[in-house]
Each structure stands twice: as C-alpha cells, then as structure tokens.
Amino acid sequence: MTPVGEMVLGLPEATLRPFVDRYVGYRERADVPLVRRESAGVFVVLILGWGAPLDVTDPRSAERGVTTVDSFVAGTFDGWCTTRTVGVGEGVELLLAPLTARRLLGLPLGELTNRAVGVEQLPGHWLDRLRDRLAEAPGWPERFALLDRVLTARLTASPPVDPRLAWAWRWLVASGGRGSVGELADELGWSRRHLAFRFRQDVGLPPKMAARLLRFQQAHTVSTEIASSGRAVDWAAVAAACGYYDQSHLIRDFHQFAGATPAALLAAR
C-alpha cells in the first residue's frame, strides 16, 4: 500500500543558506508498517517530528540504531540502514553538512559515527524544546521561520571550526571525492595521520571513506537524473565520470552504501 501524505519545501533565510540548503516538512500516513532503506552519505540527518514514532536500524549492529523515537540525529554512516514506521507522522527533516552539524550540535561528530540517537540524549536538550515548539506552530511558514531564528542563534553562539579543516572539507567536496588524500595533507602541511584524526573527530569518517561516499553520492545523483530523463544509464560511463577505477568498483560501493546494485536501486525508486 502506498503511504499518503504531503511534503513542503522551505528555503532558509539568506544568511543561513551557506549552512542549510533547505527544510523539508512532511506529513505522512502509513496504514501498514512502512520500511525504507536509507543510503549512506557524508551528511548528518536531523529529524524533528511529532506523531508516529520511527525505528532506525543498522543491519550491522542493533546498538547503532534507535527505536520508537519521533526525533533523532543520525551521524555520518558508511553503510545503509532502514527506517520503519506505522501511523501518522509529521515533522521536519534537515540534511546537514558535517561541519555545520558539528557547530549546531556542539559535539564532535566522531561521537555519532554510524549511530542514530534520539534528540533527548543530546546535550542541552535544545532540540527537544525546538521539536515541541515546531509541533505547536500553526503552519509550515511559521515552523520554517522558527527554524531560521533558532539555527541562526545556535550558529552565532558557536565557535567556528578550524579554518584549515573547513578548507580541507571544501577541497574534498569540490573534487567530488576524486582528490588525493595525500595531496590534501600536503596542501595543509599535516601528516596523513593527523588529517585522518581530524576528519574522524569532526566529520565522523576518515578522509578516504568520505571521498568514497562523495563519489557514490555523485554517481547516485547522475544516474537518477539520466534515468529520470528517460535515457538508458551507461554504468561504465557513469563510473568513469564519477572517478571510479571501473564499473565493478561502482557496483561495490552501491552494495555497501545502498544495499543494492545500481540498477536495482533505480528500479526501486
């Protein structure tokens, strides 16, 4: 049975857009259990919801997931997981770049690597309070305006990340994950070991894994756009365009990060 619901996109105010690209408001009714497979990525998922609770499960370890929560944070994952819900759920979803999440949450993302955590477990309980205020707001415009105010205040009060680390992250993203980690370390004047330590601490994943995930995200996006246009996907060409050694390496990453072959993932969408 297909779930019934609505989705509303909100654009943050101009000063927030370098940090948060959009808000996604949703209301969804699932009359039978709705299970979704969620792909890995170098981003942090923040769900502030009210209504039907969710279970988040990492098949590699039950301890990494969380059950019966309506609001949670999922750190950077290097494998796919599933979500399960039934009933009527409503809330707001944000996908945050790691260093933005680092500032908003006020803790090293290494503490959230491959973990989903209910917001009540996070420091300060400010996300708990924000969730309650969002639920009480009369509509989506008021909710998005509230997010603007609260997130701006959090970023203003938080210290900026190390500019060298911020530059390293931008460099890796701009390369689409194809840049050499050794070259990046040399550009920074850091050892590879120190670069890996800083990424694990503040991004949640080592730079090589972050680079793999960036390539996977690009391959997923490119293949989806091609399929949406009605054209057949040439997977060898996608692999080459996204920096893969060959098609078999692309398929390996889709298995690890999405739990399916590229073709099966497109068919499911």
Side-chain angles (χ1 to χ4, degrees), residues 76-95:
T76 47
F77 268 72
D78 60 12
W80 59 274
C81 61
T82 62
T83 60
R84 180 185 185 277
T85 188
V86 62
V88 179
E90 191 169 10
V92 180
E93 178 186 70
L94 286 78
L95 297 183

Side-chain angles (χ1 to χ4, degrees), residues 42 172 177-182 184 192 195-196 199-200 205-215 252-253 257:
V42 194
L172 197 62
R178 294 186 287 274
S180 161
V181 173
L184 176 57
R192 293 192 185 192
L195 177 64
F199 261 69
R200 286 192 184 96
L205 296 168
K208 284 188 176 180
M209 178 57 72
R212 279 183 63 192
L213 281 162
L214 287 168
R215 291 196 297 272
R252 174 204 64 185
D253 276 5
F257 300 143

Side-chain angles (χ1 to χ4, degrees), residues 143-254:
R143 289 172 182 142
F144 296 153
L146 174 60
L147 285 167
D148 281 346
R149 295 193 298 272
V150 173
L151 298 184
T152 297
R154 288 288 300 185
L155 288 169
T156 301
S158 69
V161 298
D162 183 331
R164 294 166 297 177
L165 185 64
W167 182 88
W169 172 251
R170 291 194 300 270
W171 186 93
L172 197 62
V173 171
S175 76
R178 294 186 287 274
S180 161
V181 173
E183 180 184 347
L184 176 57
D186 290 342
E187 289 282 348
L188 289 165
W190 288 352
S191 68
R192 293 192 185 192
R193 178 176 295 181
H194 183 68
L195 177 64
F197 170 78
R198 293 301 305 274
F199 261 69
R200 286 192 184 96
Q201 180 182 51
D202 291 304
V203 175
L205 296 168
K208 284 188 176 180
M209 178 57 72
R212 279 183 63 192
L213 281 162
L214 287 168
R215 291 196 297 272
F216 160 73
Q217 288 172 200
Q218 183 179 26
H220 192 185
T221 299
V222 168
S223 59
T224 300
E225 290 174 349
I226 293 171
S228 297
S229 72
R231 294 174 289 152
V233 179
D234 181 339
W235 292 108
V238 171
C242 296
Y244 283 94
Y245 181 74
D246 56 25
Q247 185 175 337
S248 66
H249 283 77
L250 179 146
I251 293 172
R252 174 204 64 185
D253 276 5
F254 269 72

